[in-house]
Amino acid sequence: MDAKPYNKRRHLACAKLLLKNSDLQSLRHASLELRYFLEAHVYERLLKDADQLPKSIIQKWEPNKAMKMLSMFDKLADMDLKLTITEHDGSSPITIQYNNIKNSELTKIYNTLGSYLHLPQPSKAQNYHINKEKLLKIFDTIKTLIQGNLIIIKTNYDSFECESCHQPILFTTWYVTNNESIICQNDSCKVEHFIERYDGGCRFGSKIACTCTCGAELEIFHSQFKIGQIIKCSSCSVEYRVNPNLLPID
Ligand SMILES: [Zn+2]
Ligand SMILES: [Zn+2]
């Protein structure tokens, strides 16, 4: 699996051509090409990191999700990078300054472009137009993503097994030090795991500790816990119903 099927430059070139025009069709088409450009960029980034990411996971990510994941995990998302190269004695320094485009900013642009791909709401349909100035500005901002001296620092991904669906859940050190919980990235699961940090590491937990009369641990997840819910013991098949049971504090 490599990044070759994606060709950022082609989409950017198409957008540039279309932006010479001012009619609605051309601007709409330009928005689409700019969106393809961002998608190609994100897939390229992810595939570059692929050796650390379970491939089976990213292969199924749709562009929207890939965008979200990248801004969620990238510790450099909010940083401008500065690289200084000097002689051994520290003399004649050369500084490379790279103004990073935040991944959160990319996501915002991606959504703005997406909004141009729909028909306008009836209340706005009469005078609908796409702001060409805004599109040109977006073009200028994101075209830097093809410049060669872009500094990308590898993000170290790690994963743990979801306690519910048993699929790997991805995380980065940056993410776990800045968040209290993480949601399973399997769209049909989405069970929330709480992050418990300790010296030199962290633990993830999604279950409420509860034991069946047979001694087996019950599968009760914090994020899916509901009054009236039926819980079946996987060991002895006894069923329980979750009932409110308030105890007065003495
Ligand atoms: Zn899961
Ligand atoms: Zn049981």
Side-chain angles (χ1 to χ4, degrees):
M1 184 169 71
D2 60 32
K4 284 201 191 79
Y6 304 107
N7 188 341
K8 289 203 289 201
R9 285 169 195 278
R10 203 181 61 209
H11 297 300
L12 197 69
C14 276
K16 193 175 176 178
L17 269 178
L18 289 159
L19 284 170
K20 290 191 194 304
N21 309 327
S22 297
D23 60 291
L24 187 61
Q25 278 308 330
S26 300
L27 296 181
R28 198 171 264 157
H29 192 178
S31 305
L32 186 63
E33 291 293 344
L34 289 173
R35 237 166 99 100
Y36 286 160
F37 170 77
L38 288 180
E39 291 174 0
H41 170 74
V42 168
Y43 281 131
E44 265 182 26
R45 290 270 312 263
L46 284 170
L47 295 174
K48 259 185 204 143
D49 279 328
D51 41 337
Q52 295 155 343
L53 285 162
K55 293 176 187 179
S56 58
I57 298 186
I58 351 171
Q59 258 171 342
K60 288 183 200 140
W61 283 356
E62 285 172 6
N64 249 327
K65 179 157 180 167
M67 286 290 239
K68 210 175 117 200
M69 287 298 160
L70 210 58
S71 58
M72 177 170 157
F73 289 133
D74 195 345
K75 64 178 175 223
L76 301 172
D78 295 302
M79 289 180 215
D80 288 341
L81 301 176
K82 199 169 153 187
L83 187 68
T84 307
I85 303 162
T86 62
E87 301 279 333
H88 284 307
D89 59 2
S91 67
S92 27
I94 304 166
T95 300
I96 302 167
Q97 173 83 36
Y98 167 55
N99 296 321
N100 207 8
I101 299 178
K102 296 174 187 178
N103 284 322
S104 56
E105 181 72 22
L106 283 192
T107 308
K108 219 171 92 190
I109 292 176
Y110 185 72
N111 291 334
T112 303
L113 292 169
S115 71
Y116 298 150
L117 303 178
H118 299 285
L119 287 176
Q121 301 157 14
S123 65
K124 294 176 186 161
Q126 213 46 267
N127 307 306
Y128 182 72
H129 72 285
I130 293 174
N131 187 336
K132 187 179 171 180
E133 290 307 307
K134 204 166 165 187
L135 270 188
L136 288 169
K137 229 174 166 173
I138 287 177
F139 180 89
D140 281 338
T141 308
I142 64 180
K143 75 172 184 210
T144 57
L145 294 173
I146 52 163
Q147 283 168 6
N149 61 350
L150 192 83
I151 305 169
I152 293 174
I153 294 180
K154 249 183 149 69
T155 308
N156 286 305
Y157 290 93
D158 215 333
S159 69
F160 68 93
E161 190 186 295
C162 173
E163 289 183 333
S164 177
C165 71
H166 304 286
Q167 296 289 308
I169 297 178
L170 293 177
F171 69 95
T172 59
T173 311
W174 180 84
Y175 183 87
V176 293
T177 44
N178 289 284
N179 292 276
E180 297 309 316
S181 72
I182 188 162
I183 290 169
C184 176
Q185 293 131 12
N186 171 1
D187 286 332
S188 56
C189 172
K190 292 187 170 171
V191 161
E192 185 176 18
H193 291 62
F194 293 93
I195 300 165
E196 189 196 327
R197 287 180 291 268
Y198 55 86
D199 257 2
C202 65
R203 251 191 301 268
F204 303 91
S206 63
K207 291 182 189 171
I208 295 171
C210 208
T211 318
C212 176
T213 46
C214 78
E217 197 197 339
L218 292 169
E219 300 263 296
I220 309 176
F221 299 100
H222 274 283
S223 55
Q224 294 177 336
F225 188 69
K226 272 198 294 285
I227 303 275
Q229 185 189 349
I230 306 289
I231 288 148
K232 189 174 177 180
C233 172
S234 56
S235 175
C236 71
S237 295
V238 161
E239 288 188 328
Y240 294 90
R241 184 192 304 276
V242 177
N243 276 332
N245 185 9
L246 305 179
L247 296 175
I249 304 165
D250 0 81

